[in-house]
Amino acid sequence: MRQALALNCLWLTFFVVTMRCIDATLNARIGVMVPLRAGPGAPIDQWAVRWAAAAVMAAHHINNRKFALITNATNLLPADFKVELDLQDSFRLPSVAVDHAVSWGQQRVHAVIGSYRSAVTGPLALAASIYATPVISWASSASSLSDRDLYPTLSRTAGSDAVLAEKSIQSINALGWSRVGIVYVNDAWGRYT
């Protein structure tokens, strides 16, 4: 996941340059939604710290022209191009993500990375679409997020869970099982997958 986030940061940066969303100072301002805690006052999630570190590492590599992750990238960026990150904690709550998306939209960030939870990514992408801000999620996989009419600015690097569900059914049938128990999360990911 950490490498996926770093590569997403790099991919999104190149997307921003390609779409000419950079400002006159050749800077790309990117909001990053990271679920550092499960709620206000909760302990910090060490995996989320790693994801945030991967985003910072990717920005550092771009800003200092250290392209070990993507070869031949030096010629793709203007010489003065820099990435500015605004990392925010979603607390894994859709309402917090929406607040950040609105704030980022008002600040005219060029793109947003995150969230990893489908239940947070959906509302985040809806709010960001008001400002036509591109959003890329590195892990959200709910099938409902594939609706381009509802989420016009959302892209994902993780595939839809509809494929996983279909393959799971094929496996169950191939194994000849007649009963299967399903445990799911009662959110956008669990209900609509």
Side-chain angles (χ1 to χ4, degrees):
M1 285 292 192
R2 180 177 43 179
Q3 290 174 331
L5 180 57
L7 291 175
N8 281 342
C9 288
L10 291 169
W11 178 89
L12 188 53
T13 300
F14 294 133
F15 169 81
V16 168
V17 171
T18 302
M19 298 306 291
R20 299 175 194 226
C21 293
I22 56 178
D23 61 22
T25 61
L26 291 176
N27 291 326
R29 294 181 309 277
I30 300 175
V32 181
M33 183 66 56
V34 181
L36 290 172
R37 294 168 285 192
I44 292 177
D45 180 340
Q46 293 305 309
W47 280 107
V49 170
R50 292 177 181 141
W51 296 333
V56 171
M57 178 193 73
H60 174 78
H61 279 232
I62 291 166
N63 291 341
N64 293 291
R65 304 300 186 260
K66 295 180 180 179
F67 293 114
L69 295 176
I70 298 178
T71 58
N72 300 324
T74 306
N75 299 330
L76 298 176
L77 296 172
D80 296 335
F81 180 76
K82 298 286 183 190
V83 176
E84 299 172 12
L85 297 181
D86 182 5
L87 277 82
Q88 296 294 332
D89 189 352
S90 69
F91 296 113
R92 301 181 187 153
L93 297 172
S95 60
V96 173
V98 167
D99 288 345
H100 288 305
V102 169
S103 175
W104 284 327
Q106 292 169 346
Q107 295 171 30
R108 307 300 295 160
V109 299
H110 297 115
V112 174
I113 298 173
S115 174
Y116 86 103
R117 285 190 66 224
S118 297
V120 175
T121 298
L124 169 70
L126 281 173
S129 70
I130 295 168
Y131 300 95
T133 305
V135 176
I136 184 169
S137 173
W138 72 92
S140 295
S141 56
S143 301
S144 59
L145 297 176
S146 297
D147 185 340
R148 300 302 293 163
D149 292 327
L150 193 56
Y151 306 106
T153 63
L154 176 64
S155 296
R156 302 184 284 178
T157 59
S160 169
D161 280 329
V163 174
L164 176 61
E166 185 177 323
K167 295 301 178 185
S168 297
I169 291 169
Q170 289 174 0
S171 296
I172 291 166
N173 290 335
L175 293 168
W177 295 350
S178 60
R179 291 181 171 188
V180 176
I182 297 175
V183 178
Y184 69 97
V185 177
N186 190 15
D187 66 9
W189 179 75
R191 285 191 302 267
Y192 304 115
T193 296

